Amino acid sequence: MAIPTSKATSKVKIVYDSDEDTSEDVSTTFTICDILRMIAGLGLIWCAMSKFFAGRWLYTPFHSSAAKAFGEGPQIPSHWAGRELPLPFTLNQLSQYTGKGDEPLPILLSVKGHVFDVTKGESFYGKWGAYRKFAGTDCSNLLGYSMWDMSALGKKCSHDLTGLNGKEMERVDSWYKYFSKKYPEIGYLVEE
Ligand code: HEM
């Protein structure tokens, strides 16, 4: 019986078969240290992605701001108290509500012509947010892209959904549902 030594290293051995050369096996060995290093690397990538997309260093899907907000339901911010909602906005008026102006205005965006107050999502839509281009406008066309298609963020925003296929329209609709659950709808888009 083999007696375990104090220097315990768990090894994963991968052997590649080669049709051409059967005389020698090529093998790669990972020690526990290598595996821990890989996990640490993946953790760092996750943290960097969390910071970029969700505005916090550790994004956990089950404790996301969205999940919390869904439980509470969207609250109308005090900025709109006394106003008769929903309010009409032209694209020009909407463009003032990016959160970047001198006045401390709320951050608004429109999805399929429905205007949401997304001020509580400032980490996404504020000056340094990954989705700041969505603020003060209607980027419904970009919401038709898959989440993994980063090229969407470099494209021009439009409320015009002409030319979107069924799958893309489904994505836009499901984003609309997402926004309605998370953010208060305070207005609607009108022609200039
Ligand atoms: C590698 C690609 C992407 C990753 C890893 C990513 C990651 C994330 C994460 C972690 C959130 C936060 C969700 C939450 O808090 O519940 C988020 C939200 C969001 N993402 Fe992305 N995203 C990616 C690409 C995109 C693209 C291409 C678009 C647009 C077409 C997009 C649009 C959005 C929107 C609108 C939100 C909602 C923000 C909010 O809750 O107000 N994402 N994303």
Side-chain angles (χ1 to χ4, degrees), residues 4-159:
T5 63
S6 58
K7 199 180 170 192
T9 51
S10 171
K11 291 188 175 184
V12 180
K13 191 172 183 185
I14 300 172
V15 178
Y16 301 97
D17 282 335
S18 160
D19 288 342
E20 292 149 24
D21 182 8
T22 47
S23 62
E24 206 180 304
D25 284 337
V26 181
S27 68
T28 307
T29 307
F30 293 107
T31 63
I32 288 233
C33 257
D34 293 329
I35 292 168
L36 287 177
R37 251 185 246 124
M38 278 187 253
I39 293 171
L42 288 173
L44 281 177
I45 293 171
W46 180 260
C47 290
M49 298 275 275
S50 300
K51 184 70 185 160
F52 184 73
F53 287 104
R56 52 191 181 277
W57 285 108
L58 190 59
Y59 168 73
T60 47
F62 300 111
H63 297 94
S64 70
S65 54
K68 274 187 213 150
F70 290 165
E72 289 155 14
Q75 306 281 315
I76 307 275
S78 57
H79 179 87
W80 307 105
R83 308 284 297 276
E84 197 179 322
L85 301 179
L87 292 166
F89 289 89
T90 62
L91 271 177
N92 200 24
Q93 288 168 329
L94 199 61
S95 68
Q96 295 158 26
Y97 294 88
T98 57
K100 289 174 216 135
D102 296 335
E103 272 183 82
L105 289 176
I107 306 177
L108 302 184
L109 62 72
S110 164
V111 180
K112 292 181 77 184
H114 300 259
V115 175
F116 295 96
D117 184 322
V118 295
T119 313
K120 72 178 174 196
E122 199 187 348
S123 59
F124 296 117
Y125 308 106
K127 200 172 175 187
W128 305 107
Y131 306 119
R132 58 188 175 276
K133 75 179 294 175
F134 289 45
T137 188
D138 188 315
C139 290
S140 300
N141 63 328
L142 304 186
L143 297 176
Y145 283 75
S146 141
M147 265 285 248
W148 304 110
D149 188 348
M150 292 297 287
S151 74
L153 299 177
K155 300 242 161 72
K156 199 167 177 273
C157 285
S158 172
H159 62 289

Side-chain angles (χ1 to χ4, degrees), residues 112 144 161-162 164-174:
K112 292 181 77 184
L161 300 179
T162 318
L164 264 67
N165 64 31
K167 180 79 210 158
E168 290 163 343
M169 280 305 289
E170 262 176 41
R171 288 198 195 111
V172 182
D173 286 339
S174 91

